[in-house]
């Protein structure tokens, strides 16, 4: 398995940005001495049955990494060969990771294990958007086992695991919905609305359940929460 790697370190006059292409291809859009804006696209067709995608992210001390997807991810029919998608991210002291990912679609017959792990050093922050979709239009969707783990120097901040199967929806999970849209703030306390979950450690989760992605309210939430950690460092959260 070839990993995709994105690492950002402070530099003068511009940050040092190390990019390695795996199943995903990162492309540098802009940078200054402590901030990098990187686009992420598929290097080939994925996810096919048996594919294994690994993304490693390192945000250096005092740096800001803004990631954006170019096209979402579609998991195709597995035909007995499960695929995997793994994120390992570490944000060093005072760093910020901002990632507005596009929908992750699990089509009929797909079988995917998705794991996301975020490790925050002291004073580090992150805002992550994940949009999980069971099936394309007219489909019920395949199987998805999705986990999200976040830790800071004091221990676990968030531990979640979700098992979904479009062919056998479970009451109390997604029910009749096919879209689970989530924005996760870590390392700071954003302004929240009714229904948002406030974490014990600094952080919060906003969620939307629906049948279509365009009905979600979370574009605004992602914009507002992404601005906060960046503004605290006098750095804009968007281009």
């Amino acid at each position: 398995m070839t990993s995709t790697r994105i690492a950002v370190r402070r530099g003068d006059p511009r940050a040092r940005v190390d990019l390695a292409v795996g199943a995903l291809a990162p492309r540098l859009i802009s940078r200054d001495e402590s901030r990098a804006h990187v686009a992420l696209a598929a290097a080939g067709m994925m996810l096919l049955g048996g594919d294994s995608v690994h993304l490693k992210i390192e945000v250096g001390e005092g740096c800001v990494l803004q990631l954006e997807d170019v096209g979402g991810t579609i998991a195709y029919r597995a035909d007995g060969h499960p695929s995997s998608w793994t994120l390992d991210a570490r944000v060093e002291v005072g760093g910020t990771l901002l990632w507005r990912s596009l929908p992750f679609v699990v089509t009929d017959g797909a079988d995917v294990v998705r794991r996301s792990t975020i490790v925050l050093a002291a004073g580090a922050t992150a805002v992550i958007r994940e949009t999980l979709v069971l099936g394309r239009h007219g489909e019920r969707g395949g199987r998805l086992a999705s986990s999200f783990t976040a830790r800071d120097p004091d221990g676990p901040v968030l531990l979640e695991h979700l098992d979904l199967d479009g062919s056998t929806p479970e009451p109390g999970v997604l029910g009749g919905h096919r879209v689970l849209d989530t924005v996760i703030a870590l390392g700071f306390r954003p302004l929240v609305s009714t229904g948002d979950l406030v974490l014990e450690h600094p952080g919060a989760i906003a969620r939307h359940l629906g049948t279509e992605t365009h009905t979600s309210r979370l574009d605004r939430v992602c914009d507002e929460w992404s601005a906060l950690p960046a503004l605290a460092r006098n750095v804009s959260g968007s281009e």
Side-chain angles (χ1 to χ4, degrees):
M1 175 181 64
T2 302
S3 296
T4 300
R5 180 173 178 267
I6 303 171
V8 181
R9 296 286 183 271
R10 294 182 69 94
D12 185 11
R14 292 186 293 273
R16 177 181 175 182
V17 181
D18 295 325
L19 305 176
V21 176
L24 298 169
R27 296 289 183 265
L28 180 63
I29 296 175
S30 65
R31 58 178 164 167
D32 59 23
E33 68 277 3
S34 63
R35 178 177 177 273
H37 182 184
V38 175
L40 201 57
M45 188 174 180
M46 66 172 201
L47 288 164
L48 303 177
D51 281 354
S52 182
V53 176
H54 184 215
L55 173 59
K56 184 175 182 179
I57 294 174
E58 303 168 21
V59 182
E61 182 174 346
C63 290
V64 176
L65 173 60
Q66 179 186 355
L67 277 179
E68 65 174 84
D69 285 356
V70 179
T73 298
I74 298 178
Y76 296 94
R77 181 176 296 275
D79 293 326
H81 302 283
S83 56
S84 66
W85 189 100
T86 303
L87 165 67
D88 289 309
R90 179 171 183 85
V91 187
E92 299 293 348
V93 175
T96 295
L97 171 62
L98 305 173
W99 189 2
R100 184 195 299 266
S101 64
L102 291 178
F104 190 100
V105 181
V106 182
T107 67
D108 286 355
D111 188 354
V112 186
V113 176
R114 177 184 167 103
R115 304 184 186 92
S116 299
T117 302
I118 313 290
V119 178
L120 303 176
T125 55
V127 178
I128 310 292
R129 185 172 187 178
E130 288 190 338
T131 307
L132 306 178
V133 182
L134 285 180
R136 292 170 290 193
H137 182 71
E139 294 184 337
R140 301 181 68 180
R143 298 177 58 188
L144 172 65
S146 180
S147 63
F148 191 102
T149 301
R151 296 184 174 87
D152 67 13
D154 295 323
V157 176
L158 177 62
L159 300 172
E160 285 195 324
H161 184 82
L162 184 66
D163 285 309
L164 302 174
D165 189 338
S167 63
T168 55
E170 295 186 30
V173 184
L174 292 191
H177 302 294
R178 56 185 285 269
V179 175
L180 176 61
D181 196 7
T182 305
V183 179
I184 301 172
L186 301 169
F188 69 105
R189 297 201 181 279
L191 297 174
V192 296
S193 301
T194 302
D196 295 342
L197 175 64
V198 177
L199 303 179
E200 181 178 352
H201 291 217
I205 301 173
R207 281 211 164 99
H208 166 83
L209 282 173
T211 56
E212 302 293 340
T213 57
H214 69 266
T215 63
S216 175
R217 67 178 179 89
L218 297 190
D219 284 344
R220 176 184 56 80
V221 173
C222 193
D223 287 342
E224 293 175 354
W225 290 10
S226 294
L228 290 177
L231 287 173
R233 294 162 178 76
N234 295 316
V235 178
S236 174
S238 61
E239 287 298 314

